[in-house]
Amino acid sequence: MLVDWDELQHTVEFVSMGNEAVLCRKTGKIFWHTDLDEDIEAWPDDADDEEKYLVIPDKKELDLGKALVLEFARECLPGEFDEIRRIFSKRGAYARFRSLLLRRNALDRWYDFENRATERALREWCKANGLTTREGDPPAPEAK
């Protein structure tokens, strides 16, 4: 099954915000569902049929949650590891983690680390589910 890589990446972000999405195994079409607004397209009545649809995972299901943060801390901010581990032992961890990253001028490094890990995990998920990806158009050159 061929799927659009950019659309799949955006869909994982969408699902990671508490929404749902499925991929039709026959057509490769992705259906999005949210309780916050009307669905962009009609949600299939049989979306729970695993033979017809593949549920798009969120970042947590791709193991991109707390474990990834701790891996980043070990590799990139070893002196902050204990503090970051303590931050993630309580609610509201990501806001406090972001504040720490801002204080340490490490926010861009975190985003790069997270993006690389997300891409690896999503490509592995595609492979495990027999999906091949079609890359989107390259970004337009920046205006000078």
Side-chain angles (χ1 to χ4, degrees):
M1 172 65 52
L2 183 65
V3 296
D4 182 276
W5 176 250
D6 292 335
E7 183 180 13
L8 188 58
Q9 286 182 304
H10 292 301
T11 303
V12 168
E13 292 294 330
F14 174 79
V15 171
S16 296
M17 292 186 289
N19 302 299
E20 296 177 89
V22 293
L23 171 74
C24 177
R25 292 180 187 268
K26 184 177 179 182
T27 66
K29 183 178 178 80
I30 296 176
F31 294 89
W32 299 27
H33 176 71
T34 180
D35 292 333
L36 300 176
D37 200 0
E38 289 186 31
D39 293 331
I40 296 166
E41 294 186 44
W43 183 251
D45 292 332
D46 56 351
D48 59 344
D49 184 339
E50 293 179 7
E51 289 184 25
K52 291 183 180 180
Y53 297 96
L54 179 61
V55 175
I56 305 295
D58 62 18
K59 287 184 175 187
K60 195 172 189 178
E61 292 168 313
L62 293 172
D63 291 327
L64 298 170
K66 179 180 175 181
L68 183 65
V69 169
L70 296 177
E71 181 182 335
F72 173 79
R74 266 188 224 93
E75 287 184 27
C76 302
L77 297 172
E80 303 292 340
F81 181 81
D82 290 336
E83 174 66 13
I84 292 170
R85 190 177 60 200
R86 186 190 64 72
I87 285 171
F88 276 84
S89 69
K90 300 175 184 171
R91 294 179 60 88
Y94 280 97
R96 290 192 309 277
F97 176 59
R98 187 175 190 284
S99 293
L100 182 143
L101 292 174
L102 287 169
R103 287 191 312 272
R104 301 292 180 253
N105 294 317
L107 189 60
D108 288 339
R109 281 193 298 164
W110 162 247
Y111 287 143
D112 290 342
F113 187 89
E114 182 185 35
N115 288 338
R116 286 191 307 272
T118 301
E119 181 171 342
R120 273 192 313 271
L122 189 53
R123 289 195 186 279
E124 288 174 18
W125 179 84
C126 287
K127 185 177 178 182
N129 286 285
L131 304 174
T132 55
T133 58
R134 173 182 70 245
E135 303 300 317
D137 293 330
E142 292 183 23
K144 293 187 178 188

